[in-house]
Amino acid sequence: MGLLAMVPVAGIPAAMTANILVVQVLSTSIAARIVYSYGYDAKDPKEQEFIQCLVRRSFMGQAAKAKHLQETARAASAIKRRLNWSQKLRRDHRLLAALEKLMRQMGPAGSRVSVKNVAKVVPFVGVLVGASMNAAVLGRVAADAQRYCQPRFLCDKFGLPLPAALATDEDDDFPTDET
């Protein structure tokens, strides 16, 4: 998806749309597997509601990714067909300046890093940004599903009432640990 985002003009919208669909399907799959692992039927309408709540939360988590992918795509288009570095380029695109500095440190002492070499690395940065953000979103879905299913399972097993912090109304969203 990160490579697709580097395509001029239509790359970011196409990548974001495809990425959202893939992450939504994976989020649903992760939540359903965790629900099944605790012995609940993921096809039950009550469980489907819980799973969809988790998927909605993951959708909100993906909005932050758009900004980072857009910055990477802007940097890629700014460096395309350039031959020389300028202070304005470094100032306007901190990603490019950071890549130049990193590549200079990794190379022989006192060597210069060409614009062309940095331009070759930028698409891989887009891939890494997209993949790391996806991993974070999917990890949060798994953690939330675990955090909800485990106490629910124990309460059901020992006949205890579900803690108020985990009980939700139909109008409420899935409880968070951030509040």
Side-chain angles (χ1 to χ4, degrees), residues 61-97:
Q62 290 194 49
K65 180 174 34 182
K67 178 185 173 200
H68 298 295
L69 285 177
Q70 187 174 27
E71 286 177 12
T72 306
R74 276 188 35 237
S77 67
I79 202 169
K80 189 187 295 183
R81 295 187 203 91
R82 290 197 60 125
L83 298 175
N84 298 316
W85 288 102
S86 70
Q87 288 304 319
K88 182 178 180 344
L89 180 65
R90 288 181 180 111
R91 185 179 55 249
D92 291 348
H93 302 282
R94 293 180 299 162
L95 173 65
L96 297 176

Side-chain angles (χ1 to χ4, degrees), residues 26-49:
L26 289 173
S27 296
T28 303
S29 176
I30 288 169
R33 286 174 188 255
I34 290 173
V35 166
Y36 275 129
S37 73
Y38 280 96
Y40 299 107
D41 182 16
K43 293 179 183 174
D44 179 29
K46 182 181 173 187
E47 301 306 324
Q48 284 291 320
E49 184 179 322

Side-chain angles (χ1 to χ4, degrees), residues 137-152:
V137 166
L138 294 174
R140 250 190 324 270
V141 167
D144 287 347
Q146 283 282 144
R147 196 173 16 253
Y148 181 77
C149 287
Q150 190 174 35
R152 183 174 159 212

